[in-house]
Structures are given as structure tokens and as C-alpha cells.
Amino acid sequence: MKALRAYRFWGYAATFGALWGAVEITAGSFLHAIKLPFSGVVLAGIGAALLVSLRTLQPARGIVLTAGMVCAGIKLLSPAGAVVGPMVAILVESMLVEIALAPAGANPVSGAVAGALASFWAVAQKLITQTLFYGLPVIGIYKGVLLQGARLLHLPASGGAWVAGAFLFGVALIGAGLGVAGSLVGATTRRQLAVERP
Amino acid sequence: MTFARLSLVVAVALLVALALLPPEWHLPLGIAGWALLRLGARDVHRTLGRPWRWLQALAFLCLLGAIFGTADSHVASVGWSKSGALSGATMVVRAFALVALTSLASSVLPIRRWTDRIRNPVARRLIEVVIVAANLVPVQLRALSTASSTLKERRPGLLRLPKRLWLLAVHSSLRAAILAESVAFDMAVSAHNAGGSRKESS
């Protein structure tokens, strides 16, 4: 019985990792095709929702990180050109979700925190990658955009901090909403499974 | 010359040129480097991104640099930054050189050979699970696509989109959970059979 529980851990990690990979392919291509702004944030939020749902169904420590490793492994085996960036994103996001869900397990509150953290990482990784590839002038450009935004919106002089704060708040809201949705999906699925397997 | 060698030579040459030559030279050199890789390596579009995307990045960064940089030039009595626009071009050429280097590194690293050498039981199990999961991706993709089309037929319209998305999420999660149970059962059975055959052979 104990052995079957261990196999169940790997089974859930495999299927949810594969589901995450499938969602990355379908939703990722769709969001990029319609050129939705911040599609990376939405994708990170969807990934976090999936992981929160997994943790609700299988409340085992480490399962979220394992599913992330499985999804990153799938990405590594895929014939797509750029794999390093998405792999790093998947691994870090699953690590952040694992940390957020560690103290109290999966519930709407921890789900919201997990979703927000994953979405923040999507923004941070974009900034880090752009700084690494394009160099430090990128930071100057973003500063200029923030200052221009503050001027256009007639906000008090704060070096663009208000615009940055509002942007990050929006990102957190998207991630948290998707994280809560993931927790609710997990709870509904668990109820459905109990009905099918009395 | 192989793609790996060519991309290494072009990337290093571009990075050296960026460090040594004035900004006016960076864009022509970047275009020359890109053309060399484009003509010299057939699969360049797959690993280095589409040409159109590079062009978009170039236009966007030059525009931002021209607007937000120090105003050192005037066109039609509007002040703009020539040095900013040039630094946008430098940024794109630098990014292209670095992408060529990283794609070279990821194509040269013998990841499959490294994974074959791993003997740790947990790591080996993880690799087996990754292979199982990679085979499950097409199954999950088909299931997602079928469920999405069925829901679209049964609940058409934009107003019903949130409900459709909710049902799709619950359906996918439920399907993944049922699939996980059967994968776990298969793994347990194959481990049991492997144990039995080991006993028989000994």
C-alpha cells in the first residue's frame, strides 16, 4: 500500500507535468499568436494554477517541484529551438509554488500567494534576460518609460515608482486570481473523484 | 565549416567588434554576421529566432533609444537622440551574438549522454517519469483539443467563455488525475513483475 502511494506520487507528477507541457504548447502558442501583452505573466499564472490544483489532489511535499522538473525535462526533450529560458522559468516557478504551499498546503490563500510569486518571476526573468542580452541600457529605457508614464498620468514625482507599483499590482492580481482558480479546480476535481470512486 | 564553428566565429567576432569599433559600425556588422549565419547554416532560423522578430526588436529599441536618450540631434525642429538610437542597434547586435553563443552551447552539451550515466535511483526514476510524461503530452493535447471543441459546441458564445474555461480546467484536471492513477498502477505492476523475474533468474 505504501509502495502504491509512492507510485501515485510519480504518476501524478508525470501526468500533471505532461498537462503543463501541453498547456504551454496550446495556450502559449495561442497567447503569442494573438500578441496578448504580458502573455508570459498569464502563462506563469496558469502553470501555478495547475500546480496548486495538483497539490490539492495529492498533498505530498515535493510533488510540485517534481512536476516542474518533469515539465522542464519534457521541454529539454522537445525539438524546439529555445529551451533554456522556458526551462529556467518552469523550474523557478515550480520552486516558488512549492515554497508558497509548504507551510499550510494548498488552499485559496496560499494558492493566491503562489500564483502572484510565479507571475512576479515571469516579469523578473524577462528583465534579467533582457539585461543580460541587451546590456544595462535596457534599465535606462524602462526608467524612461516609467517616467513618461508618470508624466502622462499626472502622478506625483516619484521617479516612476507609482507606475511600477501599479504594474506590479496588476501582475500580482492576475497571478493571484489564477492561483485561487487553481485551488478551486483542485477541490472540485477531488470532489468529483470521490463521487466516481466511492 | 559546421554551424557550431560558424556561429562561434561570428558571435565572438561581433562581440569583439562591439567592444572595439564606434557605434556607427555596429548595425552594418550585425547585418553582415546575421547574413553569414543565414547563408552558412540552414537551420539558423530554428535556433536564432525569426529574422522578422530581430527586425522588430531593432526598430523598437532604436525608437526607444531615440526618444528617451539624450537629445543630441534635430530633425524637423524635433530634438531626438542619435546616440540613443545607435545604442539600440548596439543592444540588438549584442543580443544576437549572445543568442548565437548560447544556442551553440546548448547544442554542443551532451545532455543525453550525461543522463545515461546517472546511477542515483531517484534521479533515474525521475528520468523514466520524464520519458513517460513526454509520451503523455500528445495524449493530453488531443484530450484538451477534444474537450475544448465539445464545450464550444455545447456552450457557444463569448459570454459563456468563463464557464467554458472553468469546465475545461476541471475536466483536464480530472482526466490527469485518472490518468495518474493508471500510470501509478502500471508502474507498480511493472516493478512487481521485474522483482518476480529477478527472483526466478536467481
Side-chain angles (χ1 to χ4, degrees):
Chain A
M1 192 64 199
K2 195 184 170 189
L4 189 62
R5 204 176 298 150
Y7 289 121
R8 209 170 257 157
F9 177 94
W10 289 107
Y12 272 84
T15 52
F16 276 80
L19 182 61
W20 194 4
V23 168
E24 284 265 335
I25 293 167
T26 49
S29 353
F30 173 71
L31 292 175
H32 286 300
I34 63 167
K35 294 196 192 310
L36 185 85
F38 314 118
S39 54
V41 171
V42 178
L43 269 179
I46 292 173
L50 215 141
L51 295 176
V52 173
S53 157
L54 164 65
R55 183 66 197 261
T56 312
L57 288 168
Q58 273 293 304
R61 271 175 198 265
I63 196 162
V64 165
L65 193 58
T66 312
M69 284 178 181
V70 169
C71 189
I74 292 170
K75 207 80 193 171
L76 189 69
L77 294 176
S78 76
V83 291
V84 181
M87 267 181 68
V88 171
I90 288 165
L91 285 175
V92 176
E93 278 159 24
S94 58
M95 208 183 293
L96 289 172
V97 174
E98 181 73 58
I99 291 167
L101 301 183
N107 58 55
V109 177
S110 60
V113 174
L117 283 177
S119 301
F120 275 145
W121 176 253
V123 176
Q125 190 178 338
K126 199 170 179 88
L127 199 65
I128 292 167
T129 316
Q130 284 181 347
T131 312
L132 276 177
F133 280 93
Y134 292 116
L136 281 174
V138 164
I139 305 286
I141 288 178
Y142 279 123
K143 260 188 191 167
V145 172
L146 289 176
L147 287 172
Q148 191 74 22
R151 231 174 288 145
L152 279 173
L153 297 168
H154 303 292
L155 292 171
S158 60
W162 280 104
V163 182
F167 170 71
L168 290 177
F169 180 71
V171 168
L173 215 60
I174 293 170
L178 286 165
V180 172
S183 162
L184 298 176
V185 165
T188 311
T189 310
R190 201 167 53 187
R191 274 199 302 275
Q192 292 272 346
L193 276 176
V195 170
E196 284 188 18
R197 218 184 21 186
Chain B
M1 197 183 269
T2 59
F3 166 61
R5 268 193 205 160
L6 189 67
S7 64
L8 179 69
V9 170
V10 170
V12 172
L14 281 177
L15 289 173
V16 172
L18 289 180
L20 298 178
L21 295 174
E24 285 83 358
W25 283 93
H26 294 171
L27 185 59
L29 280 171
I31 293 169
W34 173 82
L36 227 106
L37 281 182
R38 180 83 179 153
L39 297 172
R42 288 280 164 212
D43 55 351
V44 72
H45 66 280
R46 201 166 66 83
T47 49
L48 298 184
R50 291 177 196 147
W52 177 239
R53 297 300 294 267
W54 284 108
L55 209 62
Q56 275 180 327
L58 179 70
F60 186 64
L61 284 172
C62 285
L63 186 72
L64 286 179
I67 294 169
F68 296 115
T70 327
D72 53 7
S73 196
H74 283 270
V75 172
S77 73
V78 178
W80 63 287
S81 173
K82 188 185 169 191
S83 57
L86 285 173
S87 78
T90 306
M91 282 155 74
V92 173
V93 176
R94 182 175 182 268
F96 179 74
L98 287 172
V99 168
L101 269 184
T102 49
S103 70
L104 166 75
S106 60
S107 67
V108 166
L109 293 177
I111 292 164
R112 277 176 195 269
R113 214 190 310 151
W114 289 347
T115 52
D116 287 343
R117 279 188 197 156
I118 293 171
R119 289 285 166 265
N120 180 287
V122 179
R124 277 240 67 88
R125 171 58 53 80
L126 184 66
I127 293 165
E128 285 167 21
V129 167
V130 168
I131 293 164
V132 170
N135 292 328
L136 285 175
V137 172
V139 179
Q140 302 272 40
L141 271 174
R142 266 198 304 276
L144 269 175
S145 155
T146 312
S148 168
S149 336
T150 312
L151 283 168
K152 219 173 186 177
E153 273 173 27
R154 288 189 188 164
R155 293 168 187 269
L158 202 64
L159 283 176
R160 287 172 175 169
L161 183 69
K163 181 75 181 171
R164 261 202 324 262
L165 285 175
W166 167 259
L167 287 172
L168 184 65
V170 173
H171 174 271
S172 307
S173 172
L174 191 61
R175 202 174 186 289
I178 292 168
L179 203 60
E181 295 287 340
S182 71
V183 168
F185 190 69
D186 283 350
M187 284 169 91
V189 168
S190 63
H192 179 264
N193 288 345
S197 61
R198 227 176 286 139
K199 266 183 204 164
E200 273 174 26
S201 62
S202 63

